[in-house]
């Protein structure tokens, strides 16, 4: 189904901007909007193209246009869920502001300690390190078979610069991570840092993100979720006015078809609760219902979720810490939930015959989607068999929980053989090969050129370190 999308950079939108969007939708006779998995806003097919003056600074992607890519960020999680101590909401906003042009590739900018926003669903995934203002970068360009780690840490204020350079280079030719690193290093003078320890992604249960919750001493945050993902425009307009009145500057969209409002003053909490009550808004769905990721505007997926949730509820099954996804078979291959239910494609030869749909069930290794490794549990299952399979997997999750340390990215990194490098002096063409080091200056084998002190100089002509240029990265 072709839908109109509004790109919301980082999932962050002001009440004023949202109200403008609501007014546009109302002018076209719509009564609701939806939210997408990349923190964007989705409109029904009836949304018509607008002239540039009416669009203003809003970036719409209409069905007849090439799909634009949104920047996903975990700004929504700051101050309300676990976070890396140096990573504040203001830093997220500053980084997002550096992206002046609409990206052609998918970008994720996330904190590894939160669980609400997926880390690895972009083409470029910037993930905060333990070093203040430095980020890991994991890349999987559209034609790459697997994700690769960029060999240096990226400085916060260089993230957008790095992105646009990679976008430009990747558009010109096909290449691997080593050549990409070499070309970007030649093109940019940036404040990078050597990776001294691998990325560690702790496993935490999926958080409850709905309702009115305390935030600090004198504020609250509110999470709103509607099971049909059709948010009433009259409600949203009145809510934006209430945000203005409470001096709330940001509304945050989640990847779970919901949104969060942070910074509700303590003395206005009752007013917000009254507003929700008058509108009949339910803000206490069970976690069993909140932890599902569905494709937008696909009625079959919503109906399947409703069937599964009701059945699991009848059996009083706990799914605390787990997340579930429903997808068409091989839709994009990039999942971010613990358990995935795939709907199989009907063979063209059988399309004229009425036969029941079948499904495959996959689960992430250790039930942690950040491992990016999915195992097939069952194939070609009938809809009526799915609840039994999900109950079995839920029990398996709790049986294994705490019995062994999940194989995190840190464990995986330790298994990989370290990479070495070769640099060449541009004055006399002498090579520095980290596989051999530099015996003349007492540098042992295995020391990367980037780890050498700034006072290092060429062993032959004594040219300074900055005259060396990388030739290649080699695997040991």
């Amino acid at each position: 189904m072709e839908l109109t999308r509004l790109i919301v950079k980082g999932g962050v939108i002001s009440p004023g901007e949202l109200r403008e969007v609501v007014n546009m939708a109302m002018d076209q006779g719509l009564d609701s909007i939806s939210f997408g998995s990349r923190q964007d806003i989705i409109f029904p097919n009836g949304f018509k193209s607008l002239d540039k003056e009416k669009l203003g600074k809003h970036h719409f992607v209409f069905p007849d246009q090439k799909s634009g890519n949104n920047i996903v960020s975990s700004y929504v999680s700051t101050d309300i869920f676990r976070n890396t101590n140096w990573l504040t909401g203001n830093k997220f906003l500053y980084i997002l502001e550096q992206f002046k042009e609409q990206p052609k590739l998918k970008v994720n900018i996330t904190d590894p300690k939160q669980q609400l926003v997926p880390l690895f669903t972009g083409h470029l995934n910037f993930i905060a390190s333990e070093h203040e203002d430095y980020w890991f970068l994991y890349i999987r360009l559209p034609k790459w078979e697997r994700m690769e780690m960029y060999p240096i840490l990226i400085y916060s204020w260089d993230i957008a610069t790095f992105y646009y350079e990679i976008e430009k280079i990747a558009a010109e030719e096909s290449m691997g991570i080593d050549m990409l690193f070499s070309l970007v290093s030649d093109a940019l003078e940036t404040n990078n840092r050597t990776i001294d320890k691998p990325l560690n992604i702790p496993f935490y249960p999926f958080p409850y993100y709905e309702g009115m919750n305390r935030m600090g001493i004198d504020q609250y945050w509110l999470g709103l979720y509607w099971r049909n993902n059709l948010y009433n425009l009259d409600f949203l307009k009145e809510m934006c006015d209430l945000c203005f009145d409470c001096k709330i500057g940001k509304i945050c969209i989640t990847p779970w078809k919901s949104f969060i409002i942070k910074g509700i003053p303590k003395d206005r909490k009752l007013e917000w609760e009254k507003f929700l009550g008058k509108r009949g808004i339910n803000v206490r769905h069970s976690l069993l219902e909140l932890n599902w990721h569905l494709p937008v505007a696909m009625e079959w997926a919503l109906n399947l979720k409703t069937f599964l949730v009701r059945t699991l509820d009848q059996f009083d099954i706990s799914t605390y810490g787990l997340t579930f996804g429903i997808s068409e078979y091989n839709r994009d291959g990039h999942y971010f939930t613990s358990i995935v239910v795939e709907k199989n494609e009907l063979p063209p030869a059988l399309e004229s015959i009425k036969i029941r749909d079948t499904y495959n069930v996959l689960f992430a290794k250790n039930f942690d989607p950040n491992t990016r490794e999915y195992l097939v549990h069952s194939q070609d299952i009938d809809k009526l068999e799915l609840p039994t399979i999900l109950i079995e997997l839920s029990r398996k999750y709790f049986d294994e929980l705490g019995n062994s340390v999940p194989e995190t990215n840190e464990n995986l990194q330790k298994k990989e053989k370290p990479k070495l490098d070769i640099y060449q002096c541009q004055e006399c063409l002498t090579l520095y090969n980290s596989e051999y080091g530099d015996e003349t200056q007492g540098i042992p084998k295995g020391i990367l050129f980037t780890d050498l002190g700034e006072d290092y100089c060429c062993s032959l002509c004594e040219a300074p370190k900055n005259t060396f240029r990388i030739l290649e990265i080699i695997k040991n």
Side-chain angles (χ1 to χ4, degrees):
M1 183 181 292
E2 293 184 327
L3 301 167
T4 298
R5 300 169 58 231
L6 172 67
I7 302 299
V8 182
K9 189 163 54 177
V12 186
I13 191 169
S14 72
E17 290 169 333
L18 180 57
R19 191 166 64 174
E20 286 176 4
V21 171
V22 167
N23 286 336
M24 287 182 200
M26 284 180 160
D27 289 345
Q28 299 208 18
L30 302 180
D31 56 13
S32 63
I33 58 175
S34 301
F35 296 120
S37 60
R38 290 198 64 80
Q39 299 174 300
D40 43 4
I41 294 176
I42 311 291
F43 301 86
N45 282 339
F47 197 89
K48 303 176 186 66
S49 295
L50 300 169
D51 57 48
K52 287 188 178 180
E53 187 176 334
K54 286 186 178 179
L55 286 176
K57 63 179 181 180
H58 299 292
H59 185 94
F60 283 87
V61 181
F62 295 98
D64 60 342
Q65 297 175 329
K66 285 187 176 180
S67 177
N69 282 314
N70 198 23
I71 302 172
V72 163
S73 84
S74 61
Y75 171 86
V76 60
S77 296
T78 54
D79 302 319
I80 62 174
F81 296 127
R82 296 178 184 88
N83 64 283
T84 299
N85 56 14
W86 60 263
L87 187 50
T88 63
N90 285 337
K91 286 191 177 178
F92 270 115
L93 295 178
Y94 185 90
I95 292 167
L96 291 171
E97 182 59 29
Q98 306 312 302
F99 285 83
K100 304 298 184 185
E101 300 295 327
Q102 177 60 32
K104 295 176 182 176
L105 300 171
K106 294 177 183 177
V107 181
N108 286 27
I109 305 172
T110 54
D111 185 334
K113 292 188 177 180
Q114 55 79 42
Q115 289 291 103
L116 188 65
V117 179
L119 307 184
F120 296 107
T121 55
H123 295 120
L124 276 76
N125 304 280
F126 296 92
I127 302 172
S129 77
E130 294 179 9
H131 299 292
E132 183 168 353
D133 278 325
Y134 283 92
W135 303 69
F136 288 93
L137 171 56
Y138 283 79
I139 304 176
R140 182 176 181 172
L141 295 178
K143 294 182 180 179
W144 286 14
E145 291 184 0
R146 66 178 187 272
M147 192 164 288
E148 299 279 3
M149 186 181 73
Y150 202 73
I152 55 174
L153 298 179
I154 313 297
Y155 188 51
S156 289
W157 318 137
D158 292 333
I159 283 179
T161 304
F162 259 90
Y163 168 76
Y164 288 119
E165 187 61 34
I166 290 173
E167 179 187 88
K168 182 174 69 176
I169 292 171
E172 293 174 357
E173 55 183 308
S174 178
M175 69 196 77
I177 188 68
D178 295 345
M179 184 183 291
L180 186 68
F181 174 67
S182 178
L183 292 173
V184 173
S185 299
D186 286 344
L188 299 180
E189 288 289 337
T190 50
N191 186 8
N192 310 319
R193 180 169 181 150
T194 302
I195 297 174
D196 56 1
K197 58 175 69 173
L199 172 63
N200 179 33
I201 304 174
F203 178 77
Y204 297 117
F206 184 69
Y208 189 90
Y209 59 82
E210 201 194 18
M212 191 76 72
N213 303 273
R214 186 176 289 278
M215 177 181 168
I217 299 173
D218 56 358
Q219 291 184 325
Y220 286 82
W221 64 270
L222 170 66
L224 287 176
Y225 162 87
W226 291 9
R227 58 168 60 98
N228 63 3
N229 194 19
L230 294 172
Y231 289 83
N232 179 269
L233 296 179
D234 286 324
F235 166 78
L236 291 176
K237 190 171 184 179
E238 192 175 342
M239 185 198 72
C240 289
D241 291 338
L242 190 52
C243 285
F244 273 122
D245 196 35
C246 292
K247 296 181 171 57
I248 293 169
K250 306 293 180 189
I251 295 170
C252 310
I253 301 170
T254 82
W256 298 87
K257 320 296 169 60
S258 58
F259 66 93
I260 286 174
I261 299 167
K262 296 186 279 188
I264 296 172
K266 184 178 180 180
D267 59 359
R268 305 295 293 272
K269 176 176 179 279
L270 184 61
E271 185 178 347
W272 275 86
E273 290 175 340
K274 186 176 179 180
F275 163 67
L276 296 171
K278 273 187 169 182
R279 286 280 186 170
I281 306 300
N282 175 23
V283 291
R284 283 298 171 193
H285 294 91
S286 71
L287 186 60
L288 179 61
E289 185 158 3
L290 293 177
N291 57 1
W292 288 78
H293 180 262
L294 275 64
V296 176
M298 290 193 180
E299 192 174 351
W300 69 266
L302 183 59
N303 291 339
L304 179 60
K305 177 205 165 179
T306 302
F307 164 72
L308 293 172
V309 167
R310 285 177 180 171
T311 308
L312 292 174
D313 190 45
Q314 286 172 357
F315 283 95
D316 204 20
I317 297 297
S318 171
T319 60
Y320 176 68
L322 287 171
T323 53
F324 298 86
I326 294 177
S327 171
E328 291 179 322
Y329 177 71
N330 222 9
R331 181 74 175 179
D332 56 20
H334 301 292
Y335 302 121
F336 62 91
T337 59
S338 311
I339 298 171
V340 178
V341 178
E342 286 183 338
K343 179 184 176 184
N344 286 317
E345 270 188 320
L346 192 64
L350 300 177
E351 286 179 354
S352 60
I353 307 172
K354 260 196 166 182
I355 61 173
R356 293 169 67 91
D357 290 318
T358 61
Y359 303 87
N360 306 322
V361 179
L362 299 81
F363 67 99
K365 189 171 185 179
N366 302 314
F367 294 95
D368 180 2
N370 287 324
T371 63
R372 292 166 282 141
E373 184 178 345
Y374 282 83
L375 309 173
V376 177
H377 181 279
S378 307
Q379 289 181 295
D380 299 320
I381 299 299
D382 185 82
K383 173 182 173 180
L384 297 178
E385 297 176 81
L386 287 174
T388 303
I389 298 294
L390 297 188
I391 290 170
E392 182 182 324
L393 282 172
S394 297
R395 287 174 176 159
K396 176 179 171 64
Y397 163 71
F398 285 109
D399 285 343
E400 295 179 0
L401 191 61
N403 291 347
S404 60
V405 179
E407 193 165 16
T408 62
N409 282 65
E410 181 172 5
N411 303 125
L412 296 174
Q413 292 283 342
K414 286 178 181 176
K415 290 183 178 181
E416 294 177 1
K417 291 184 178 179
K419 289 183 177 178
L420 301 172
D421 54 23
I422 299 175
Y423 279 71
Q424 186 173 50
C425 174
Q426 299 302 292
E427 297 294 330
C428 67
L429 305 183
T430 295
L431 297 178
Y432 174 85
N433 188 334
S434 55
E435 187 174 2
Y436 306 112
D438 188 343
E439 290 184 2
T440 63
Q441 301 190 59
I443 297 169
K445 299 176 181 180
I447 302 298
L448 294 175
F449 184 83
T450 50
D451 291 341
L452 298 175
E454 291 305 312
D455 59 349
Y456 176 80
C457 60
C458 176
S459 57
L460 183 63
C461 70
E462 298 187 344
K465 183 182 178 183
N466 61 13
T467 61
F468 282 74
R469 293 291 179 267
I470 190 166
L471 289 184
E472 63 176 314
I473 295 178
I474 55 176
K475 287 188 177 179
N476 190 7

